[in-house]
Amino acid sequence: MSSFFHIRCRTIVLLMFFSTSTFAATETGSLAGLGVESLYSNTTGSNNSSLGYRSLYANTSGSFNSALGAAALRYNTTGSYNTAAGVNALFKTTTGNGNTALGYDSLDQNTTGDYNTGFGMHSLGSATTAVNNTALGYQTMTSTTTGSNNTAVGRDALYYNTT
């Protein structure tokens, strides 16, 4: 049986469409979460929005993040100013800042890398600590792990580039 909860606590707004869920947050700014365990671990993070199953699940103090899609920004804890749209986009990011991922598994292995942009399925898919990269297209820069200041445009562009 499905139920609808709408909780408004000062500026925290949480909408959930499911029967079993928990949400832990202390109010420090605007938060919006929709989905099972969306924003589940948030304590002091502010100005975050999350839509999808376990999106921004581990976020504790990261702020100004947007996650759209199941497990988008799943392991982010303190990273801020990240935007993830797509299933598993920025999945393993923990402390990375200023990243943008659009597409299934885009930047999904990123952990601490900053200021990367990945548009397209699997773009920058292996990047862990890469910085200042732009990948546009299906599987662009898929093998890049630690590279910096690279730009790739088009399907499979810089596919085998690692650094």
Side-chain angles (χ1 to χ4, degrees), residues 108-119:
D108 65 312
Q109 298 299 306
N110 183 66
T111 54
T112 60
D114 297 321
Y115 312 110
N116 294 295
T117 302
F119 288 148

Side-chain angles (χ1 to χ4, degrees), residues 1-8 13-21 33-35 51:
M1 181 170 165
S2 183
S3 57
F4 172 77
F5 298 93
H6 180 119
I7 302 168
R8 182 161 172 90
V13 177
L14 177 65
L15 298 171
M16 292 181 250
F17 294 94
F18 45 88
S19 57
T20 57
S21 67
L34 176 62
L51 174 64

Side-chain angles (χ1 to χ4, degrees), residues 45-119:
S46 64
N47 299 297
N48 293 306
S49 57
S50 179
L51 174 64
Y53 174 74
R54 289 194 175 163
S55 54
L56 275 168
Y57 174 87
N59 190 74
T60 54
S61 60
S63 297
F64 300 98
N65 293 298
S66 295
L68 172 63
L73 277 163
R74 165 74 168 81
Y75 289 104
N76 185 72
T77 54
T78 60
S80 295
Y81 302 99
N82 294 298
T83 302
V87 174
N88 295 335
L90 285 167
F91 181 78
K92 289 187 178 178
T93 296
T94 54
T95 61
N97 296 295
N99 295 295
T100 302
L102 174 62
Y104 176 78
D105 281 346
S106 180
L107 275 159
D108 65 312
Q109 298 299 306
N110 183 66
T111 54
T112 60
D114 297 321
Y115 312 110
N116 294 295
T117 302
F119 288 148

